[in-house]
Every structure is written in C-alpha cells, then in structure tokens.
Amino acid sequence: MTAPTPLIAGNWKMNGASAALAEAKAIADGVGDCPARVAICPPATLTHRMSQALDGSKVLVGGQDAHWDDAGAFTGDISAEMLADAGAKLVILGHSERRAGWRETDEMVANKVKAALRAGLEPVVCVGETLEERDAGKALQVVTGQVRGSLPQELAGKTFSIAYEPVWAIGTGRTPTTPDIEEVHRAIRATLVEMFGEAARGVPILYGGSVKPSNATEILHAAEVGGALVGGASLKAADFLGIIRAL
Ligand code: PGA
C-alpha cells in the first residue's frame, strides 16, 4: 500500500498580476528539498508566464478551473487543454466558490475531471460542507456524496487528489478541530477505497480552509491529511514557505 506523497497547493484565486511572478519565484527558490509536492495555481492570465518562470524548479503550476468541453463557443471559459498548453500540470476543480457562485453541480465537476484527464492534467477535486450542513449533522453525508458524484470512474489508476475544504473555514480564520478534520478525511478515504479499491489509499486528501504557518504543523500531521490547499496564505512567499516547512 503506497502512502500518499503529500501535495501542498496554493490557490491564488483572483489575485495576482505580473508583479506577483516575483513572489512565485521566491517560493520556488525557498522550497528546498521538502518532502511534499508543491504547486501554485495562479489566475489563468499568469499560467504561461509562471510556468516559464518556474521551469526546472520543484514547484508545479496549476489552473483553478477548466471547462468540461475541449473547445467551442463558451465565451470567457478556458479548457483543460489550454491550461496544459500554457504549462499547467494540475487543475483545481469543484472549488466551493465555483459550486456556490457558478452553481457547479457534482455532475459538472465530474465532466470537468474527465476533460482534465483528456488534457493530461492532474485533477485536485474539492469537496466540503457548509456551516448549515455541519450544524445539521450532515457533514459526512454531504462530503462523501460530493466525492461519489464528482469523481468519474475514469480516475481509476490516475494521479489525482481530493481537497476537503469546509466552506465555513475558507477565508474566515476558523478551522475545524483536528478530530473533526480526521473524521471527514477517514470518511473520504473509505469512500475512495469503495470506489477505486485499495489503490485509492495512495490518493492524497488535502485539507483546505484557513491554513496558515501557525496551524500547519498540527493540520498536516493529522491522520489521513495528505497536504493542504492554501488560499490567502499562499500569496506571500514567507507564509506559504512557512506552511511547506511545517511538513
Ligand atoms: P483560505 O482558502 O486558505 O484563504 O481559507 C482556501 C481555499 O479556498 O482553497
């Protein structure tokens, strides 16, 4: 049984213009030989330049979303193929900001995952419950339902990861307790093994939501946590490196 290689990915969201490439360089220069795989997912306008700037470094570049079709009349959208062509190696799919703001359903996310695989991109599929759902005692049901609905069978044998991001922890400074994180991660692992067999024990399950240098050590060493998806704290090299070094 292969233990997952941890992945620490920065999600820059709609932040960063040309000047931010220097921050990405500083991250790549400071990473050293940490045991994790490291990625930065900048806005699509920076994908190509960041891929060039970080070429030969340990840091991979990823997208934040991709369309489920490979090309066509979808004004404003970007395909997985285009991201790959611009140098991306992975792509975040089904982030809660897209599920909530663009009404992305599990089915849409699953189709995006298929498109990512066609383009040779590694999907990082996000799941997570709202505060209302947690308070109603439905966190595990919601999250495992999202895992079942968002992961197509095409993922069998492919490299991918899951990011558990409780919606109420994103950008709020609040995080679940470590036992709560472990409970959800164990439930995700059990669902993955049901869906994909024992090989799914090698799939990293990242935690995301207000990860920062001060809480990273505890979170990253919790049971079944295979890395982190980091928003705000990935924008500054010092903070992101502090998280990476916590592993
Ligand atoms: P945050 O965002 O680290 O700023 O809470 C995480 C995410 O949305 O991926």
Side-chain angles (χ1 to χ4, degrees):
M1 215 109 28
T2 346
T5 304
L7 170 67
I8 300 188
N11 173 12
W12 280 16
K13 309 191 180 186
M14 200 171 70
N15 298 292
S18 305
L21 290 171
E23 213 63 35
K25 271 296 258 176
I27 292 166
D29 290 345
V31 155
D33 53 359
C34 73
R37 300 168 71 220
V38 178
I40 303 174
C41 302
T45 46
L46 289 180
T47 310
H48 188 234
R49 273 180 296 164
M50 192 180 288
S51 301
Q52 289 183 321
L54 302 188
D55 192 31
S57 84
K58 188 183 160 65
V59 180
L60 303 168
V61 174
Q64 299 176 9
D65 177 45
H67 200 274
W68 54 78
D69 260 328
D70 299 334
F74 301 104
T75 302
D77 276 318
I78 293 175
S79 73
E81 272 184 8
M82 290 167 181
L83 286 171
D85 180 58
K89 300 291 182 230
L90 31 81
V91 62
I92 298 169
L93 295 170
H95 190 282
S96 63
E97 285 153 17
R98 298 210 56 92
R99 289 179 185 264
W102 276 259
R103 308 221 173 133
E104 284 190 11
T105 61
D106 288 343
E107 191 188 357
M108 288 157 80
V109 176
N111 285 331
K112 289 176 174 217
V113 170
K114 290 183 206 170
L117 293 176
R118 286 196 297 276
L121 292 180
E122 177 183 330
V124 179
V125 181
C126 302
V127 295
E129 83 285 359
T130 63
L131 191 54
E132 216 181 13
E133 290 162 340
R134 172 156 288 269
D135 287 346
K138 293 188 178 148
L140 295 184
Q141 183 190 326
V142 167
V143 168
T144 55
Q146 287 173 334
V147 170
R148 282 182 210 286
S150 307
L151 302 186
Q153 270 307 317
E154 281 84 342
L155 280 170
K158 297 287 193 326
T159 303
F160 69 100
S161 51
I162 304 292
Y164 167 55
E165 300 202 302
V167 176
W168 50 274
I170 294 177
T172 58
R174 293 180 58 194
T175 51
T177 64
T178 301
D180 282 347
I181 294 175
E182 291 177 336
E183 182 185 35
V184 178
H185 280 231
R186 285 196 174 105
I188 293 173
R189 177 70 68 207
T191 308
L192 288 174
V193 170
E194 260 176 51
M195 294 174 74
F196 298 104
E198 286 298 313
R201 298 206 184 273
V203 174
I205 305 173
L206 321 187
Y207 168 79
S210 296
V211 178
K212 43 189 185 233
S214 59
N215 62 19
T217 304
E218 178 162 356
I219 291 173
L220 289 171
H221 291 93
E224 290 290 9
V225 172
L229 183 55
V230 185
S234 69
L235 292 167
K236 288 271 163 283
D239 289 343
F240 197 42
L241 290 170
I243 292 168
I244 293 165
R245 288 183 189 131
L247 200 66

